[in-house]
Amino acid sequence: MKILFLTYYFPPLGGSGIVRVSKFIKYLKREGYQISVITIKNIPFYYYDYEVLKELLPINIYRSESLDFARLLYFFGIKKRFSYAGTEFSHFLNKIFFPDAKIGFLPLGYLTSYSVIQKEKPDIIFATSPPYTILLLALLLKKRFSLPLISDFRDLYPTGTIPPPFYFKGLIKSLRNLIYKNSDKIIAAHYETLKAFLNNDKIVFLPNGYDPEDFLVEKKDLETKSILYAGNLERNSKDLLFLAKDLEEVSDLKIYLCGHIDFLLEKEIRKYKNIVYLGSLPHKEVCALMKGADYLLYLSKPNQIIGLKLFEYIGARKPIIFLGEISEEIKMLNEKYKIGYFYSEVKERIKRKEFLEINKEIADYFSFPYLVKRLKEVINSLIK
């Protein structure tokens, strides 16, 4: 069976945005599926991870030209590690362009996809978002070729964690109706997205997960008793600094950061002797650090979706500490599976550097091999 994946973010781009689709492809390929991918040509990005790309090969990857801002930056010579994603400028562009700032990918992405479909003759299309431009592309291709379509929402529908401007409300409603009507299956990675698609028999809940093979590495011990934060750090840095201050008198206990942070935060954390910034690291090196850490830190906000990093924390099988204004989704998941501890409840135990029990039994439920078995059921149900 042949599957055509449509995705804007794809290796060698690194970071959490590429993990879900990459692991789906990796394990579907092992199950005998023939995979082709439509994605964008090179763009400037904050981090590249070539190891993830290596484990996916051989598959057919078709990289399309694009007119969106990120591709234009690269075209005009900005090719270094840089990303405007998550900045005020990117939020501004998302308020101008519908459904998002990547709409410039649509025309040339369509031409590329058209020729690829004629050549490869896939049996099904799997389109993952964000950006939601990818879902528009998928709808156009479905209309032209009448192929079964799976629309995947790895972030909140319809515009992630940032509410859309009021003048897009009518268009968003129309887009949602189009997705309802034309997708054969809709996959949601988050409970909040499920609410947007209530009473729709096409919806399938398939959370993010972790790859157990990423943890087939020797653990990397840190120099001190350690709380490790792995991942990008943008809007909840105040909680990190609170933690550093709250633990500053605890000897031989430090907070280690690995991931992308902006230069202002990097400057701020220099004031704290108990924060160690390790920079952006290859994914498997991060996994080795997770295995070697004493505690894993997860920063939460009230309306924040559960990041993919949480599931990798589960895969590392180390105590997870939740800090911040805990989201309802985190509370619900923790109540059901007992995956971690809220800092306010165990901070004295952490200050004493005590060992915290963990629930290892639920880890397999969130592994990508298990998730792909469920995805296979969805795919096979659409092929007659």
Side-chain angles (χ1 to χ4, degrees):
M1 186 184 298
K2 296 181 178 180
I3 306 175
L4 177 64
F5 278 81
L6 306 180
T7 177
Y8 185 92
Y9 297 104
F10 194 73
L13 302 185
S16 59
I18 61 95
V19 174
R20 180 178 174 88
V21 68
S22 297
K23 300 304 182 182
F24 281 168
I25 290 172
K26 173 182 175 178
Y27 285 102
L28 284 171
K29 184 166 69 78
R30 290 189 184 180
E31 295 288 334
Y33 292 86
Q34 298 180 50
I35 307 295
S36 298
V37 177
I38 304 290
T39 188
I40 194 170
K41 287 186 175 181
N42 292 337
I43 60 173
F45 206 64
Y46 68 90
Y47 180 61
Y48 303 88
D49 193 336
Y50 293 91
E51 291 301 316
V52 175
L53 183 61
K54 288 179 184 178
E55 72 179 18
L56 301 182
L57 300 176
I59 60 172
N60 297 320
I61 303 173
Y62 300 91
R63 299 187 183 273
S64 173
E65 195 54 86
S66 175
L67 299 174
D68 75 276
F69 187 73
R71 177 59 189 165
L72 292 175
L73 283 175
Y74 190 94
F75 185 81
F76 287 109
I78 300 178
K79 302 179 180 181
K80 61 183 180 180
R81 292 192 176 189
F82 160 80
S83 176
Y84 74 96
T87 65
E88 289 300 321
F89 184 65
S90 70
H91 300 331
F92 172 73
L93 290 179
N94 282 328
K95 292 178 181 178
I96 296 177
F97 298 105
F98 182 85
D100 47 52
K102 308 302 185 186
I103 190 64
F105 180 75
L106 185 63
L108 299 178
Y110 180 83
L111 293 176
T112 301
S113 302
Y114 188 96
S115 63
V116 168
I117 290 175
Q118 288 188 317
K119 174 185 175 183
E120 300 286 347
K121 296 180 170 51
D123 299 296
I124 194 167
I125 297 173
F126 184 104
T128 185
S129 62
Y132 300 101
T133 290
I134 292 295
L135 297 187
L136 277 181
L137 172 60
L139 292 176
L140 292 174
L141 294 172
K142 178 178 173 59
K143 182 176 182 180
R144 173 62 183 82
F145 293 99
S146 300
L147 290 169
L149 170 62
I150 299 174
S151 296
D152 177 53
F153 292 89
R154 69 175 188 274
D155 278 359
L156 295 183
Y157 177 87
T159 54
T161 56
I162 299 175
F166 69 92
Y167 44 83
F168 280 159
K169 286 185 176 179
L171 290 172
I172 286 172
K173 184 177 181 180
S174 297
L175 175 61
R176 181 166 56 191
N177 291 338
L178 282 172
I179 294 170
Y180 273 177
K181 182 178 179 180
N182 294 288
S183 298
D184 295 276
K185 287 292 181 181
I186 298 167
I187 295 180
H190 301 280
Y191 290 114
E192 289 299 316
T193 301
L194 286 176
K195 294 178 183 178
F197 292 99
L198 284 176
N199 302 319
N200 188 328
D201 58 4
K202 295 179 180 180
I203 191 74
V204 177
F205 177 60
L206 203 61
N208 285 311
Y210 72 94
D211 187 348
E213 293 186 0
D214 288 344
F215 292 94
L216 299 178
V217 292
E218 290 292 328
K219 70 174 183 176
K220 187 172 182 179
D221 292 320
L222 293 152
E223 294 180 356
T224 65
K225 277 287 187 178
S226 54
I227 299 175
L228 177 71
Y229 177 88
N232 299 337
L233 191 57
E234 295 171 353
R235 287 171 288 178
N236 42 12
S237 57
K238 64 179 179 61
D239 294 317
L240 172 75
L241 300 180
F242 160 79
L243 181 65
K245 187 171 181 61
D246 199 46
L247 298 175
E248 62 184 352
E249 299 302 323
V250 182
S251 62
D252 195 36
L253 176 63
K254 290 188 177 181
I255 303 165
Y256 294 82
L257 310 179
C258 55
H260 173 68
I261 63 176
D262 63 41
F263 72 96
L264 291 175
L265 179 57
E266 189 171 358
K267 182 179 178 181
E268 181 71 17
I269 63 177
R270 291 177 189 155
K271 302 175 184 177
Y272 295 83
K273 294 181 180 180
N274 59 346
I275 298 181
V276 179
Y277 179 48
L278 303 172
S280 293
L281 302 172
H283 187 245
K284 288 195 175 181
E285 189 171 340
V286 175
C287 291
L289 287 168
M290 289 184 201
K291 289 179 69 173
D294 294 291
Y295 312 102
L296 300 173
L297 176 64
Y298 190 90
L299 300 176
S300 177
K301 300 189 78 171
N303 299 315
Q304 186 182 50
I305 59 174
I306 296 177
L308 186 141
K309 192 58 61 180
L310 176 60
F311 300 99
E312 294 193 329
Y313 281 1
I314 293 171
R317 290 171 163 83
K318 286 298 180 81
I320 300 170
I321 307 301
F322 298 112
L323 178 63
E325 299 178 71
I326 309 301
S327 69
E328 290 303 314
E329 192 169 13
I330 286 284
K331 290 177 182 176
M332 182 167 54
L333 195 68
N334 196 52
E335 182 177 345
K336 185 173 183 179
Y337 296 109
K338 308 300 180 187
I339 58 176
Y341 297 86
F342 301 120
Y343 178 69
S344 59
E345 297 172 353
V346 295
K347 70 176 185 176
E348 295 305 321
R349 296 179 64 186
I350 292 173
K351 288 179 179 181
R352 294 192 298 269
K353 294 174 275 192
E354 291 183 10
F355 175 78
L356 300 177
E357 295 289 340
I358 57 175
N359 182 4
K360 294 183 179 180
E361 295 181 1
I362 55 89
D364 290 342
Y365 179 79
F366 297 106
S367 72
F368 274 110
Y370 174 78
L371 295 173
V372 165
K373 285 182 180 179
R374 294 178 55 201
L375 178 57
K376 279 179 57 184
E377 294 174 359
V378 175
I379 293 171
N380 292 339
S381 71
L382 300 178
I383 303 301
K384 299 178 181 178

